[in-house]
Amino acid sequence: MQRLFEFITHHPYLATGAILAAAVLAFYEIRERIQAFAALSAMQAVRLMNQGRARHRPSRKESYDAGHIGEARNVPAADLESQAESLKKWRDKNVITYCDSGANGANGARTLMKLGFTKVFNLQGGLNAWVKDNLPLAKTAPGGKGSPK
């Protein structure tokens, strides 16, 4: 142990670089694990949606209006617990959550699992992955109905 401290005192930049590299690696791994919670690829999500499964987007209304997947419901992640009663009809059905990048969708999926939902999935990579795979988006028209983009 004494030799380690001696090395650190003689090479402070190298030791600091090693600590920073370890911190960046830990941050990256934690972020990947958070986003991978109950993750589905875009193609797997399409298969579930073709079977008539519910979609949920935990985001702001402006972001939802700019583009969303099919007949997705917009419920901000902060409002999930307060709106749990209105979502109870999907409690035993497959529910797909998503956001722009996948992180908030994973948090929404966790919240729904805590609320008793049994089949919750998160779109891996979120709406960005959906668009990257050239899959269609719907925009909310002035009348409030979604229309394909």
Side-chain angles (χ1 to χ4, degrees):
M1 189 63 137
Q2 185 177 4
R3 294 192 73 188
L4 177 64
F5 291 126
E6 182 180 334
F7 178 83
I8 291 172
T9 57
H10 285 104
H11 305 287
Y13 295 119
L14 188 59
T16 302
I19 291 170
L20 288 175
V24 167
L25 180 64
F27 172 77
Y28 177 77
E29 285 297 321
I30 290 170
R31 192 183 96 215
E32 287 298 314
R33 289 181 193 262
I34 287 171
Q35 289 181 352
F37 180 79
L40 284 176
S41 70
M43 290 301 134
Q44 291 170 322
V46 168
R47 283 188 208 108
L48 277 179
M49 288 186 287
N50 287 338
Q51 297 172 5
R53 307 305 181 209
R55 276 114 24 225
H56 153 72
R57 180 174 179 154
S59 65
R60 297 181 324 275
K61 180 160 177 34
E62 303 82 34
S63 180
Y64 176 82
D65 291 344
H68 56 276
I69 298 172
E71 298 172 9
R73 258 185 96 149
N74 182 37
V75 181
D79 298 340
L80 275 175
E81 291 186 33
S82 64
Q83 293 192 21
E85 193 62 30
S86 68
L87 300 171
K88 72 179 180 181
K89 67 180 179 182
W90 291 294
R91 190 161 282 162
D92 295 321
K93 297 179 182 174
N94 290 336
V95 176
I96 302 169
T97 61
Y98 70 96
C99 63
D100 289 333
S101 65
N104 287 335
N107 291 337
R110 277 191 200 85
T111 302
L112 288 173
M113 294 286 278
K114 289 177 190 172
L115 293 171
F117 287 74
T118 56
K119 300 174 185 173
V120 180
F121 304 96
N122 177 41
L123 180 61
Q124 187 174 19
L127 198 60
N128 295 337
W130 185 268
V131 170
K132 183 179 176 188
D133 287 345
N134 293 321
L135 294 168
L137 287 179
K139 284 184 143 184
T140 302
K145 297 277 185 184
S147 61
K149 180 178 175 184

